[in-house]
Amino acid sequence: MTAQTAPEPAPRPRRRRTLVENLGAIVLGFESVVVFLGGLVVYGLNVLPEGIPSWWGVVTGSVLAVLMVLTAGMLHHRWAIAFGWVLQLLVALGAFLVPAFLLIALVFGGMWAYATIGGARIEARSASGADSPSQQQDHPTQPQTPERE
């Protein structure tokens, strides 16, 4: 007596991640570590206004870091890219407490801009077929010089 089992259906193929999703996730992932460490800096320097306990620096850094990681996983939604810009703005506002955060905001904000704007531009160019091998042969990047005898 053998039990007949139906063959399992083939797994659904995974959706191809775009360049914006890949680059954005990398930027937000690394930035989340830096932001968490920035929260520790706020705590250690005790730079929060009077009446706010310094441990709120660690809490704020931790919450921002978790939001960045969660946003990195949701970049296939358009709202997540906009929320990533909001997170970049929040990091820049941290420069009012610790001026070194401005450098962090400029570096990671620039990488975020490249990931979202430049990545979308590269994807659009690739989708239009501008990078196909047949067009590269028609328009070589280096001028060909005639052979000398």
Side-chain angles (χ1 to χ4, degrees):
M1 192 174 188
T2 61
Q4 297 233 348
T5 60
E8 292 185 27
R12 189 177 80 187
R14 291 181 64 174
R15 185 183 68 82
R16 184 183 165 279
R17 289 177 54 105
T18 65
L19 187 60
V20 172
E21 292 174 45
N22 288 330
L23 292 176
I26 291 168
V27 170
L28 287 177
F30 281 115
E31 189 175 13
S32 69
V33 174
V34 173
V35 165
F36 172 73
L37 295 174
L40 293 176
V41 168
V42 169
Y43 170 75
L45 294 178
N46 199 17
V47 294
L48 290 175
E50 193 67 34
I52 300 176
S54 61
W55 55 266
W56 275 105
V58 177
V59 171
T60 304
S62 299
V63 168
L64 277 175
V66 168
L67 285 174
M68 286 180 175
V69 170
L70 292 175
T71 304
M74 303 296 286
L75 286 176
H76 57 276
H77 298 289
R78 287 195 89 40
W79 62 263
I81 293 174
F83 189 66
W85 282 106
V86 171
L87 292 172
Q88 300 304 317
L89 178 65
L90 290 175
V91 171
L93 290 175
F96 286 113
L97 298 174
V98 179
F101 281 1
L102 185 59
L103 178 64
I104 294 169
L106 289 174
V107 170
F108 282 101
M111 289 192 301
W112 179 253
Y114 178 77
T116 56
I117 298 168
R121 190 175 299 149
I122 292 169
E123 283 281 326
R125 193 176 335 143
S126 296
S128 70
D131 295 333
S132 67
S134 63
Q135 288 185 354
Q136 288 178 356
Q137 291 174 355
D138 293 341
H139 305 288
T141 56
Q142 295 179 355
Q144 300 209 355
T145 57
E147 294 182 21
R148 295 186 180 176
E149 295 179 18

